[in-house]
C-alpha cells in the first residue's frame, strides 16, 4: 500500500542553513522540499504541504532588492514558521516594525521562554535555553494579532506567534536548525508534529518504493538510457531505474581514456557482473585523446570532451532505437535555483556532466534523486545493496584526468598522473581519512624541476597533491593532512613514479581557488 507522505515546504531566502533545515525535517521522518522564495504560490501549495518554513537569509527587509514571498502566502490556512529573515519579513509584510538592532547578535544567546504551550513546549527545563543567533535587524513592534513567546537580553521578541488559531504563523529570531541551538530539533519537531500534524512516515526504504513507482509511471512501456560515471549518484539512479523497468534500461559507460587506475574494470564488474545491469561499455579512449591532442586551454578541453560525450550517446541511442528517457543522478543541490546556489562556480568553469545532454538530445528526463542530498543518496545506495566502493567514492569530474594534467594531455602524462593518483588514494585510504575528505587527488604540473637521485641530476615533473574538506563542493578548505601521511605520499610518488622528482601540497581554500586546478 502506498502512503502519501506528509511534507513540509521550505522557502529559501538565501540562508547558509536552508539545507540544514531540510535535513532536520527529514531526520524527523517527514519529507521536506526546498523552493526558491520567488516560486509562484500555485507551485508552493501544489503538493499540499502540511506546513511552510521561511528560511533565514543575508538580506535586510529594507534592502532595495529584499527577497519577498508570493502574495497571499500568509493568508493560507497552512501553518508557517518564519526563521530569522523569515521572521523579519513576516513582521514587515504584516505591518509590524523591524529595525537595526542596537547591538548585532551573533552566536550563543540565552532564550527566556514566556509561553511554552505549543512551539516551545518542553523547551528550557529552567525556563531558558541556549540558542544560536545571527542577525543585525530585530523586531521593534510585532504585527497586529501576534504575541511574544520568548525573549533574550537583546531581543524583546525572540519568538512570536499569532494569537488567533485560524491562521497560524510562528516566528523565531534564532536558528533552531543548527546544532548550537541545544533544543532546536525539539522545536522543529513541535512545529512539524504538533502544529502541522505531520506523521513520521518518511524513510529511505519508503523513498525506494516511491521512486520505483514514480519511474514506472513516468516511463510506462518505454525505454530508458542511463549514463554511468562510476560515481555514487548515477549508480544509485541506475539501480533504482533498473528496479523499476528492468531490461528496458540500458546503462552506458564511456571509457574516455581519462579515467583513474582500475576504474573501468571496476564499473564493469560492479554493474554488469554483480548488479546484473544491462551495460554497454564503450571504449572510446583513442577518439577522446586524438581530439585533445595539443589542447592546453582548460575550457577548450571541457568543451571538446562534452561534445564527444554527446556524439557517442546520440550514436548509441540511435542504435538502440526508441529510447525516449534519460535517467540522471541529478541531486538537489544541482537543481535548486535558490539565491544560495546561484553561486559563481557555474560561470567560472563549464561544468560538463550529463546535465548538458538533454537540451540537445530531446530526451525526457528521469531524475529520481533530485530531492536528495549526497549523504542521503549514500544511505539510499546502501539500502539498494550497492557495494561500499561505489557508495563512498569521492566525486570525480566529468572531464576526468584531462583537467588534472595541466597543459596538453598525452598518454605518457596520463600514465604518470594515474600512478601518482593511485598512491594518493591508497595512502589516504590506509590512513582512514578517505571518507572524511570530500576529495584527495594528484595533479600533474606543466613544469619540470631539478632534483638529485643517487648522485645524479634529474630534471623531471612536479606532482601536486590536493585534498579538501567540503559539504557540497561549493566551498572547500584544504585538508590538514597529518605530516606523516604527506611524507609517505611524497616518498612513494618520488620513488615509484617514473618521471616525478618533486611533490607539492596545495594549501588553498575555495574560494578564492577552486577544487580542481583547471
Ligand atoms: P571546482 O573545481 O569548480 O569543483 O571547485 C567543484 C566540484 O565539482 C567537480 N567538478 C566537476 N564535475 N564536471 C563534473 O561533473 C566538471 O566539469 C567538473 N569540474 C569540477 C570537482 O571535482 C569538485 O568536486
Amino acid at each position: 500500500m502506498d502512503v502519501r507522505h506528509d511534507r513540509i515546504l521550505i522557502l529559501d531566502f538565501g540562508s547558509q542553513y536552508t539545507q540544514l533545515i531540510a535535513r532536520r525535517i527529514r531526520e524527523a521522518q517527514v519529507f521536506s522540499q526546498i523552493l526558491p522564495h520567488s516560486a509562484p504560490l500555485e507551485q508552493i501549495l501544489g503538493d499540499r504541504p502540511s506546513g511552510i518554513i521561511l528560511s533565514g537569509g543575508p538580506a535586510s527587509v529594507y534592502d532595495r532588492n529584499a527577497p519577498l514571498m508570493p502574495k497571499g502566502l500568509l493568508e493560507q490556512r497552512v501553518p508557517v514558521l518564519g526563521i530569522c529573515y523569515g521572521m523579519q519579513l513576516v513582521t514587515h509584510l504584516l505591518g509590524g516594525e523591524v529595525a537595526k538592532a542596537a547591538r548585532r547578535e551573533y552566536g550563543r544567546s540565552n532564550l527566556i521562554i514566556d509561553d511554552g504551550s505549543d512551539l516551545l513546549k518542553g523547551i528550557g527545563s529552567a525556563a531558558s535555553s541556549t540558542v544560536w543567533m545571527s542577525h543585525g535587524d530585530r523586531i521593534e513592534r510585532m504585527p497586529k494579532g501576534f504575541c511574544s513567546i520568548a525573549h533574550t537580553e537583546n531581543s524583546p521578541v525572540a519568538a512570536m506567534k499569532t494569537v488567533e488559531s485560524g491562521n497560524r504563523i510562528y516566528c523565531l529570531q534564532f536558528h533552531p536548525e543548527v546544532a548550537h541551538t541545544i533544543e532546536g530539533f525539539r522545536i522543529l519537531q513541535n512545529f512539524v508534529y504538533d502544529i502541522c500534524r505531520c506523521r513520521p512516515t518518511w524513510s529511505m526504504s519508503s523513498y525506494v518504493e516511491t521512486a520505483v513507482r514514480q519511474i514506472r509511471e513516468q516511463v510506462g512501456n518505454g525505454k530508458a538510457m542511463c549514463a554511468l560515471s562510476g560515481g555514487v549518484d548515477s549508480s544509485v539512479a541506475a539501480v533504482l531505474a533498473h528496479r523499476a523497468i528492468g531490461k528496458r534500461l540500458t546503462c552506458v559507460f564511456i571509457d574516455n581514456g581519462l579515467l583513474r587506475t582500475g576504474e573501468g574494470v571496476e564499473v564493469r564488474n560492479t554493474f554488469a557482473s554483480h548488479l546484473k545491469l544491462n551495460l554497454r561499455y564503450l571504449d572510446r579512449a583513442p577518439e577522446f585523446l586524438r581530439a585533445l591532442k595539443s589542447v592546453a586551454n582548460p575550457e577548450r578541453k571541457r568543451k571538446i570532451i562534452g561534445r564527444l560525450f554527446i556524439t557517442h550517446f546520440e550514436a548509441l541511442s540511435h542504435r538502440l532505437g526508441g529510447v525516449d528517457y534519460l535517467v540522471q543522478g541529478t541531486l538537489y543541490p544541482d537543481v535548486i535555483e535558490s539565491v544560495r546556489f546561484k553561486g559563481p562556480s557555474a560561470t567560472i568553469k563549464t561544468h560538463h556532466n550529463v546535465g548538458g545532454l538533454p537540451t540537445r538530445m530531446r530526451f525526457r528526463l528521469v531524475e529520481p534523486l533530485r530531492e536528495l542530498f549526497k549523504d542521503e543518496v549514500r544511505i539510499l545506495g546502501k539500502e539498494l545493496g550497492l557495494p561500499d566502493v561505489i557508495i563512498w567514492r569521492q566525486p570525480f569530474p566529468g572531464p576526468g584526468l584531462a583537467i588534472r594534467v595541466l597543459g596538453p594531455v598525452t598518454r605518457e602524462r596520463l600514465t604518470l598522473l594515474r600512478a601518482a593518483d593511485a598512491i594518493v588514494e591508497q595512502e589516504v585510504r590506509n590512513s582512514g581519512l578517505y571518507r572524511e575528505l570530500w576529495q584527495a587527488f594528484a595533479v600533474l604540473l606543466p613544469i619540470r624541476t631539478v632534483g638529485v637521485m643517487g648522485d645524479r641530476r634529474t630534471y623531471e615533473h612536479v606532482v601536486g597533491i590536493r585534498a579538501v574538506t567540503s559539504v557540497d563542493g561549493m566551498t572547500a578548505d584544504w585538508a590538514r593532512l597529518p605530516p606523516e601521511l604527506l611524507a609517505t605520499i611524497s616518498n612513494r610518488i618520488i620513488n615509484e613514479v617514473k618521471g616525478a622528482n618533486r611533490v607539492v601540497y596545495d594549501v588553498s581554500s575555495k574560494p578564492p581557488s577552486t577544487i580542481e586546478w583547471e
Side-chain angles (χ1 to χ4, degrees), residues 302 345 348-354 395-400 403-404 438-439 441 466 472-474 476 510 513-518:
R302 281 169 191 274
S345 59
I348 291 169
K349 295 177 188 180
T350 312
H351 272 212
H352 156 76
N353 55 23
V354 279
F396 186 62
I403 55 165
R404 294 184 182 167
W438 175 260
Q439 275 169 305
F441 56 87
R466 181 76 163 140
D472 51 18
M474 309 287 285
K510 171 183 178 177
S513 298
T514 53
I515 297 176
E516 304 289 346
W517 278 42
E518 284 196 338

Side-chain angles (χ1 to χ4, degrees), residues 295-305 402 405 407 409 518:
V295 178
N297 180 297
E299 277 303 281
R300 276 199 61 215
K301 288 183 187 175
R302 281 169 191 274
K303 295 234 163 80
I304 289 170
I305 294 166
V405 167
V409 182
E518 284 196 338

